[in-house]
Amino acid sequence: MTGKQPGAGKGDALVLRVLDTGVMEGRLNIAIGQAIVEAHQAQRVPDTLRFLRFPPTALVGRHQALGQEINLDYCRENRIGVARRITGGGAIFMEPGLLGWELAFHRGTLGVKSLPELTREICEAAAAGISQLGVAARFRPRNDIEVDGRKISGTGGFFDGDTLFYQGTVLVDMNPQVMVSALRVPKAKLEKRKLDSAQQRVVTLRELLGDQTPGLAQIQAALTTAFAGRFGLAVAHGELTREERFEADRLYREEIGTGDFVGGIEEPPAARGDLCGRQASPGGTITSYLRLEGPAQNRVRAALITGDFFVTPPRVIYDLESRLRGVYLEDLPGVVRSFFREAGIEVLSVSPDDFIASLENAVAG
């Protein structure tokens, strides 16, 4: 499949199916994204751009420890939903005034390029669309879109087979105090950008344009035109298929909507005595927890790796954790390098050496 409508004949234009699913509960929204990926992989739907919105919801990244990133008590007391994305990166806050967008594209549509290269192309297209609304938006590596140094859109994604799934936001209007209260923004992240608070880091269209802020339909049209033009696609507005809805409901009930999925990654209790090491890099922070075994406590009994990094596909982190079980500490660097080399993993934001440094920092105490 190369982005055509199913059944399209030879010579037909490449199609970008455009969906607007409106405001939906957070976990169901995530499940719909996964269902689109699966339908796209099975060549049942063409390349797709979906616009989505959330009720007030705190979204933790795929590899993050839930309680470290989200103020669960505040969210509970203020009826803010909590969900886990299927993409990596850091925790974000969504509400109806923020517009989400996601792409499911085939490699053939995009050309043979690395994920960092495609990130640039997608973010530059999104920045061009946002700029059409009356602001000067620019791509800032690794995956942000900014106006005058303040983030107006965060993005991230992964390859799963031949399907690229890529998500982003447009900060249209929001209450920054609620965002700051719902998320636990690391102090180091603010210090890196010389900021006093997370509120200084972000900016909305409302703050920039005031009464001239465009409506959602205009914002969506600008982004649609930008993406379709960048990748040479003909726009076809559509709806979720019956199969996508069915699969989304199943994923919501059995996986993505469950407490086990959302809360399945959590910092181990301090009383358990696990070793902990962190490695911060421009591509994100990796935190490794190790529990040791053996008479000399020199073998890995269990490993947990968390952070706001991007690795594609996301599930490989679980494979790495499994691979580390039983490994002698002195062999950790070699095992990690072999794992990444043999698996052929596409890493967007961090390197094998970053994972090794995090593990070695844990061992060093």
Side-chain angles (χ1 to χ4, degrees):
M1 176 179 166
T2 57
K4 297 179 182 179
Q5 293 281 11
K10 183 177 180 180
D12 290 342
L14 299 177
V15 168
L16 177 64
R17 179 182 63 152
V18 180
L19 312 175
D20 179 4
T21 53
V23 179
M24 286 191 170
E25 189 272 338
R27 299 182 188 187
L28 179 58
N29 247 337
I30 303 301
I32 289 172
Q34 180 63 44
I36 291 172
V37 170
E38 294 176 7
H40 187 269
Q41 288 176 315
Q43 302 186 17
R44 292 194 294 268
V45 299
D47 293 337
T48 297
L49 165 63
R50 177 168 79 116
F51 293 107
L52 59 156
R53 289 186 293 146
F54 292 75
T57 307
L59 296 169
V60 72
R62 184 67 185 91
H63 306 296
Q64 291 187 298
L66 182 65
Q68 284 187 337
E69 309 297 335
I70 294 177
N71 186 334
L72 296 173
D73 290 338
Y74 178 87
C75 290
R76 191 178 305 111
E77 292 165 3
N78 292 275
R79 298 187 177 182
I80 295 172
V82 175
R84 183 177 294 276
R85 300 196 308 276
I86 58 174
T87 50
I92 62 173
F93 177 76
M94 297 293 289
E95 61 179 56
L98 305 181
L99 177 65
W101 52 266
E102 57 189 28
L103 299 165
F105 274 10
H106 192 277
R107 286 181 188 265
T109 302
L110 304 166
V112 181
K113 297 173 183 173
S114 69
L115 194 48
E117 289 175 309
L118 293 174
T119 293
R120 174 176 290 277
E121 287 203 28
I122 290 170
C123 288
E124 286 181 348
I130 295 171
S131 294
Q132 291 301 309
L133 305 173
V135 299
R138 298 288 184 270
F139 167 55
R140 177 186 174 118
R142 60 187 163 126
N143 58 338
D144 288 340
I145 299 167
E146 298 183 341
V147 176
D148 295 331
R150 300 173 68 190
K151 183 163 74 172
I152 197 166
S153 175
T155 74
F158 59 84
F159 270 114
D160 195 342
D162 283 332
T163 294
L164 172 67
F165 184 66
Y166 204 91
Q167 297 178 310
T169 57
V170 179
L171 307 186
V172 183
D173 193 13
M174 66 180 296
N175 184 335
Q177 186 55 53
V178 175
M179 176 196 74
V180 170
S181 300
L183 305 181
R184 300 186 189 277
V185 181
K187 184 178 179 181
K189 196 169 187 177
L190 299 176
E191 290 176 343
K192 183 172 69 173
R193 297 186 181 274
K194 299 181 180 179
L195 300 173
D196 295 325
S197 75
Q199 291 173 250
Q200 294 177 286
R201 169 68 181 128
V202 300
V203 67
T204 65
L205 286 175
R206 176 69 62 183
E207 181 179 343
L208 294 168
L209 299 175
D211 293 340
Q212 302 303 310
T213 302
L216 287 174
Q218 185 179 345
I219 299 169
Q220 291 180 7
L223 287 170
T224 299
T225 299
F227 286 130
R230 183 79 176 210
F231 298 107
L233 304 171
V235 173
H237 292 274
E239 297 180 349
L240 290 169
T241 66
R242 180 182 304 175
E243 291 78 9
E244 286 171 311
R245 291 180 180 275
F246 181 86
E247 179 63 8
D249 288 341
R250 186 193 68 78
L251 288 165
Y252 177 79
R253 292 192 312 270
E254 299 178 7
E255 182 183 357
I256 291 171
T258 66
D260 285 346
F261 180 83
V262 176
I265 302 176
E266 195 52 275
E267 183 180 23
R272 212 166 64 180
D274 295 276
L275 303 177
C276 175
R278 289 183 174 84
Q279 170 67 11
S281 72
T285 298
I286 302 171
T287 302
S288 296
Y289 299 93
L290 295 177
R291 195 181 313 168
L292 306 184
E293 64 181 3
Q297 291 288 285
N298 61 345
R299 268 196 326 265
V300 176
R301 178 181 175 187
L304 173 67
I305 299 172
T306 71
D308 61 353
F309 51 85
F310 288 92
V311 175
T312 177
R315 61 178 174 269
V316 301
I317 294 300
Y318 303 124
D319 296 335
L320 175 58
E321 291 170 345
S322 178
R323 180 74 171 270
L324 294 177
R325 293 182 195 134
V327 171
Y328 286 95
L329 299 183
E330 62 188 34
D331 295 332
L332 283 174
V335 170
V336 172
R337 290 193 180 95
S338 295
F339 173 82
F340 280 95
R341 184 172 58 250
E342 294 166 6
I345 296 164
E346 295 183 71
V347 182
L348 170 60
S349 64
V350 288
S351 71
D353 286 342
D354 292 318
F355 286 95
I356 292 168
S358 177
L359 293 166
E360 290 182 335
N361 290 340
V363 174

